[in-house]
Amino acid sequence: MIKTVPTVPFDDQKPGTSGLRKKVRVFQQPHYAENFIQSVFDSLEGYAGKTLVLGGDGRFLNRDVIQIALKMAAANGFGRVLVGQGGILSTPAASHLIRSSGAFGGLLLSASHNPGGPDEDFGIKYNVSNGGPAPEKVTDAIHARTLAIASYKILDAEDVDIDTPGTSQLGDMTIEIVDPVAGYADLMESLFDFGAIRALIADGFTLSFDAMSAVTGPYAVEIFENRLGASKDTVRNAIPLPDFGRHHPDPNLVHAKELYDRMMAPDAPDFGAASDGDGDRNLIIGRHCYVTPSDSLAVLAANAHLTPGYALGLKGIARSMPTSGAADRVAEKLGIPLYETPTGWKFFGNLLDAGMTTICGEESAGTGSDHVREKDGIWAVLLWLNILAARRQGVAQIMAEHWTTYGRNYYARHDYEAIAKDKADALMEALRAKLSTLPGASNSGGTVKSADDFAYADPTDQSISRNQGVRILFEDGSRVVFRLSGTGTEGATLRVYIERYVASDGDLGMAAADALAPLVRAAQEVADISGFTGMEKPGVIT
Ligand code: VG1
Ligand code: CO
């Protein structure tokens, strides 16, 4: 029986960089998840009888919201829902499933790199039929609907068994519980030379993958251990846990410290990697050699042609604005276009659909390609492995050669977390107010060449996105970028992105912190970070 439940709007359901993310306690309020899901459905047209993909990263509340979404999808007229067994689907696997099944769209339950558990974060994101995050015009419509919603529809039914593979009925709707891993692993096998990687591993190459007790565990075990023959202790923290073992599933130098330490030890494996809560990010650390995500994008783009899936070359490279310009130099050398987009994967979808770019990346450890419409952690690891197998060189050697060819973009991101929102807004406001006075002025970073607030015009549909981050560009090509995070759930997070380019005949062997120190001072001088936030230092440096 379909129930129509009266409700009132919540005023805080505006999707951020990647879906709606809130504390679990917020999502547990009566009608909260239901309101948002109904607002998503109300913003779509023509889904009657069509297929919806449903799954998440296994965090606390995942299973409960899956039951709600199933009953609401049935009540709202979807014809079929594909659910990852146990409610599990990594974000890239969900993207692939949407595409391969011809689904109308998908609901992805995750707060990605944010921690999980009863006192931590949960999230819901809607992806469209190309498998990618809903573009801004859709998320704007969803938000508008959340402010006007008066009722939602839900089927009055028993909970559905989501753990047993197979097909069942819920009202008029069919539910298929599918293997979350197999189809995705097959896709990976179609893109990369598994034989060459297997041979590399058989020759003694060692790797370590930290799944951070999040969703990639089952994928990594199947792909690295079962299909590629890596030893059975390759994947660490392989079981997805509702609270990620109380860790923060963000693969960076702070939260993946254990992996970092292992990779810096005298007996380190040849290659180390980690992924985040929902499996779309990747951290790459070679033996004694950390690779910044921006450099990783550049190296992958420069070498992708060595792998079967990309043997014909790349159509273009796209990177988010704060991501370093390392990939730009590769695009230049390859003679292909480079696109600079705002932060967040939703901006890459149109470029990928239009065949304008093949590889995309973000400084936040996200890299992906046109094989799906999300960033993809395991894909990036496999592309690295395939390149290592083709070149038979170590990560450190590959990085050194890359910098000698292209020069080096020293890079770091400084995060100031949990700042009072009004203070963060005031900082950005003050910065914007002085933008026009900066060009020509000098500070510790050198002479400012230009300063602006990044705006993006999508070349495929001409839609404009403004206020995407303040950029201060120096005459020597260095830059400092400031923006506020759109994924946090506590106060505001200020991200400061710092970059300095040194040409191939310059000093390529500095410690990043030393190379960037003058620009870090410049950031403080220009934005008075400590004055506005009361913080002398960032909490996280990646
Ligand atoms: C962050 C990253 C951004 C990424 C987004 C979603 O956004 O900076 O590059 O696309 O997270 O990643 P923000 O607005 O907090 O800077 V995930 O893996 O959390 O879905
Ligand atoms: Co993620």
Side-chain angles (χ1 to χ4, degrees):
M1 194 192 71
I2 295 174
K3 280 196 303 184
T4 300
V5 182
T7 186
V8 289
F10 290 90
D11 64 5
D12 63 348
Q13 296 197 321
K14 183 173 166 49
T17 311
S18 179
L20 180 71
R21 294 187 194 178
K22 297 286 170 194
K23 290 283 170 211
V24 163
R25 304 273 182 223
V26 174
F27 266 106
Q28 282 172 327
Q29 297 171 86
H31 312 308
Y32 194 89
E34 291 88 341
N35 270 23
F36 188 73
I37 294 170
Q38 187 66 52
S39 298
V40 170
F41 293 163
D42 287 351
S43 310
L44 309 174
E45 265 170 36
Y47 60 78
K50 301 267 172 64
T51 299
L52 182 74
V53 164
L54 179 61
D57 61 10
R59 70 178 60 222
F60 190 87
L61 224 57
N62 194 46
R63 298 177 69 92
D64 305 78
V65 177
I66 284 190
Q67 295 296 341
I68 292 170
L70 281 172
K71 292 170 196 172
M72 289 184 66
N76 279 276
F78 275 94
R80 180 172 76 137
V81 179
L82 305 179
V83 189
Q85 188 181 1
I88 292 289
L89 274 178
S90 78
T91 291
S95 183
H96 176 56
L97 188 55
I98 293 170
R99 294 165 67 77
S100 59
S101 67
F104 186 86
L107 280 174
L108 280 54
L109 310 182
S110 169
S112 188
H113 61 285
N114 299 17
D119 296 314
E120 299 295 352
D121 296 352
F122 188 75
I124 304 181
K125 183 167 72 145
Y126 179 71
N127 279 29
V128 294
S129 62
N130 74 352
E136 276 199 327
K137 59 176 187 305
V138 178
T139 55
D140 287 348
I142 295 170
H143 179 224
R145 185 66 195 152
T146 64
L147 298 173
I149 189 167
S151 65
Y152 61 85
K153 283 195 258 180
I154 189 161
L155 202 70
D156 199 5
E158 291 291 304
D159 278 2
V160 176
D161 172 6
I162 57 169
D163 297 300
T164 313
T167 302
S168 62
Q169 280 299 120
L170 183 63
D172 293 336
M173 187 179 84
T174 305
I175 296 177
E176 279 175 43
I177 307 299
V178 303
D179 181 333
V181 177
Y184 174 84
D186 292 347
L187 173 68
M188 293 300 113
E189 209 158 346
S190 76
L191 294 171
F192 300 115
D193 187 348
F194 272 37
I197 303 173
R198 244 193 321 266
L200 179 76
I201 291 170
D203 285 349
F205 178 93
T206 49
L207 62 149
S208 184
F209 182 90
D210 191 342
M212 303 191 89
S213 305
V215 80
T216 43
Y219 297 85
V221 168
E222 170 63 13
I223 292 170
F224 302 130
E225 297 183 5
N226 298 349
R227 298 199 187 191
L228 291 170
S231 66
K232 293 293 173 199
D233 60 356
T234 296
V235 183
R236 313 264 178 137
N237 302 314
I239 314 257
L241 301 174
D243 64 354
F244 306 123
R246 305 187 73 104
H247 293 302
H248 197 137
D250 190 347
N252 61 32
L253 297 182
V254 174
H255 300 301
K257 175 104 185 8
E258 206 184 297
L259 175 73
Y260 179 81
D261 290 344
R262 193 176 319 132
M263 296 310 298
M264 295 301 139
D267 60 345
D270 294 301
F271 185 84
S275 192
D276 71 332
D278 62 332
D280 55 2
R281 296 188 182 201
N282 69 93
L283 171 73
I284 304 293
I285 312 180
R287 185 183 156 82
H288 305 167
C289 177
Y290 165 63
V291 182
T292 70
S294 294
D295 273 349
S296 177
L297 171 65
V299 170
L300 293 178
N303 292 280
H305 62 279
L306 300 173
T307 70
Y310 306 91
L312 298 177
L314 310 178
K315 294 174 185 146
I317 307 173
R319 63 162 172 84
S320 67
M321 181 274 284
T323 304
S324 96
D328 305 29
R329 299 179 189 276
V330 175
E332 200 183 338
K333 183 146 187 234
L334 293 174
I336 55 175
L338 182 286
Y339 302 93
E340 188 177 33
T341 61
T343 293
W345 212 261
K346 61 185 167 210
F347 294 101
F348 294 132
N350 284 350
L351 298 174
L352 290 164
D353 283 352
M356 296 165 80
T357 184
T358 306
I359 279 192
C360 309
E362 295 193 278
E363 52 65 40
S364 53
T367 333
S369 88
D370 55 2
H371 69 291
V372 289
R373 293 294 181 274
E374 289 277 3
K375 52 191 188 273
D376 189 342
I378 288 198
W379 169 89
V381 174
L382 287 168
L383 181 49
W384 261 101
L385 290 175
N386 199 155
I387 291 167
L388 293 169
R391 290 183 53 166
R392 290 279 174 156
Q393 291 173 311
V395 174
Q397 200 181 349
I398 287 182
M399 290 317 302
E401 283 185 19
H402 188 88
W403 293 331
T404 319
T405 308
Y406 298 95
R408 178 170 178 186
N409 292 72
Y410 287 97
Y411 189 86
R413 188 180 88 195
H414 290 194
D415 290 339
Y416 298 80
E417 296 174 306
I419 313 171
K421 200 172 169 315
D422 55 340
K423 294 197 171 136
D425 288 340
L427 182 152
M428 291 303 291
E429 189 80 5
L431 201 50
R432 289 193 170 105
K434 67 153 86 153
L435 280 180
S436 62
T437 68
L438 291 175
S442 291
N443 55 40
S444 295
T447 305
V448 176
K449 186 172 157 217
S450 64
D452 66 2
D453 194 346
F454 182 63
Y456 176 66
D458 184 311
T460 68
D461 66 6
Q462 279 70 48
S463 58
I464 308 236
S465 303
R466 295 182 206 282
N467 299 323
Q468 297 297 322
V470 166
R471 307 189 283 186
I472 299 180
L473 310 171
F474 293 88
E475 276 182 346
D476 70 349
S478 300
R479 42 169 215 168
V480 180
V481 174
F482 300 84
R483 62 178 281 281
L484 299 183
S485 157
T487 58
T489 58
E490 249 176 270
T493 294
L494 171 69
R495 302 202 197 283
V496 185
Y497 309 83
I498 304 140
E499 176 179 1
R500 174 176 162 199
Y501 176 66
V502 173
S504 53
D505 56 356
D507 188 349
L508 302 175
M510 287 181 270
D514 296 337
L516 298 172
L519 290 157
V520 172
R521 281 197 298 280
Q524 166 60 25
E525 287 159 15
V526 173
D528 189 17
I529 304 169
S530 58
F532 279 102
T533 67
M535 295 181 196
E536 291 303 324
K537 279 198 306 230
V540 177
I541 298 182
T542 52

